[in-house]
Amino acid sequence: MGVRDRLGIHSDPPLAAIPATLEAAGVCVFQTCLRDPRRLSREGIPSEDDQDAFRAAAGAEGTIWGIAHASMLTSLGSTDPRIRNASASALCGDAALAASLGLSGVCFHVGYEKGHPDRASALDAVARKLAQVVERLPNGARVLLENGCEGTELGQTVEEVAAVVRAVGAAPEQVGVVLDTCHLHVAGFDLAAEDGARRLVDAIEASAIADRLVALHLNDARFACGSKRDRHATPGEGTIGAGLLRVMAEPLFAGLPAILEVDAKDASRGLAYLRAG
């Protein structure tokens, strides 16, 4: 993928409108939601008519690439069995629907340490539940771990994400990874530093998850490195700044789709900044 081809945007349903939205933005990569992101219930799941219209429109528009984002309430390692089981069911449902739509997977945040005796126990709980999710996935479906950054969130480092991947033991075709640059930076990995992008590559290779990388969430950050505050900024306008251009220039990331998770007007400026860089 060239720089122009690999950049993308988040676009909410209706699904049928996404191909035209991408064409207007000059991109062919996207992320969407397949249920209300504030719910684990079936609220907001696209109708069958909308699904069929998306398939028809996507075929008519030519090649587009996309993933979905799971509910923000997903917590596979929760100590509350209702939340834990509802999270697993919602994730399985979204992954199956994504596969039927031709999407490349569903990303979800690793979870939270809260309620567990320590971080290792929390990560183990996530891995156990994720292994059950993988067993339920239909052929062609894939789930994607995304790094976190706030409070007791898990997966705040490449190493923690890799630990869950290793514990599950599933194939890359079933369990992949999406790395969010804003999350990494505010969690304490300084991507604004001149050697930040190179050190990120080293961390990924040392953790043996390079073959798991499916996409980047290429977000700048409103707050400082180590702030633990998850507030996305338009690329080039936050505390990472040109560090995002250095990430894009690393060969390891050269073929990865890179999605901007900001609103449409901000995405337009961000795309222009990244393309010019």
Side-chain angles (χ1 to χ4, degrees):
M1 280 187 171
V3 171
R4 186 170 295 273
D5 295 332
R6 66 194 276 209
L7 295 174
I9 59 174
H10 182 93
S11 184
D12 287 325
L15 300 178
I18 290 176
T21 299
L22 300 182
E23 184 176 18
V27 298
C28 58
V29 167
F30 72 98
Q31 175 180 275
T32 192
C33 295
L34 298 177
R35 71 179 65 231
D36 186 333
R38 300 162 296 182
R39 300 282 190 273
L40 288 170
S41 64
R42 294 181 58 82
E43 291 178 64
I45 294 178
S47 68
E48 290 188 8
D49 285 346
D50 189 28
Q51 295 174 35
D52 289 342
F54 169 79
R55 294 183 184 97
E61 292 293 338
T63 302
I64 60 175
W65 184 97
I67 59 174
H69 198 301
S71 167
M72 299 304 296
L73 298 184
T74 303
S75 186
L76 293 180
S78 173
T79 55
D80 184 334
R82 294 171 301 176
I83 296 175
R84 187 169 66 243
N85 293 329
S87 295
S89 293
L91 187 57
C92 285
D94 284 355
L97 177 54
S100 78
L101 292 168
L103 307 186
S104 292
V106 178
C107 69
F108 67 100
H109 291 200
V110 177
Y112 298 88
E113 181 182 351
K114 184 178 179 180
H116 292 276
D118 52 48
R119 207 159 181 83
S121 298
L123 290 166
D124 286 344
V126 171
R128 287 195 301 272
K129 199 63 178 179
L130 180 54
Q132 294 175 18
V133 168
V134 171
E135 289 178 355
R136 295 166 56 187
L137 293 178
N139 290 337
R142 179 166 53 176
V143 291
L144 312 171
L145 286 156
E146 179 182 351
N147 56 304
C149 63
E150 289 193 325
T152 67
E153 265 197 287
L154 301 168
Q156 294 195 22
T157 65
V158 170
E159 292 76 15
E160 282 193 347
V161 173
V164 175
V165 170
R166 286 194 300 272
V168 174
E173 294 76 23
Q174 292 179 302
V175 177
V177 171
V178 171
L179 290 179
D180 186 304
T181 50
C182 171
H183 297 177
L184 284 168
H185 186 68
V186 300
F189 195 108
D190 189 0
L191 285 176
E194 288 290 334
D195 65 344
R198 182 66 250 170
R199 288 189 299 105
L200 177 57
V201 170
D202 291 344
I204 291 167
E205 292 178 341
S207 297
I209 60 168
D211 64 334
R212 304 274 178 171
L213 292 179
V214 172
L216 297 174
H217 283 167
L218 202 67
N219 300 311
D220 214 324
R222 292 188 189 181
F223 294 98
C225 177
S227 64
K228 301 293 184 77
R229 301 188 68 180
D230 182 10
R231 298 293 184 275
H232 298 170
T234 303
E237 299 178 13
T239 59
I240 302 175
L244 293 180
L245 300 179
R246 291 189 284 272
V247 168
M248 293 280 285
E250 285 291 338
L252 178 63
F253 307 125
L256 290 183
I259 297 162
L260 282 61
E261 294 181 303
V262 292
D263 66 29
K265 184 181 295 186
D266 292 342
S268 179
R269 297 198 311 276
L271 290 169
Y273 172 79
L274 294 167
R275 287 165 173 162

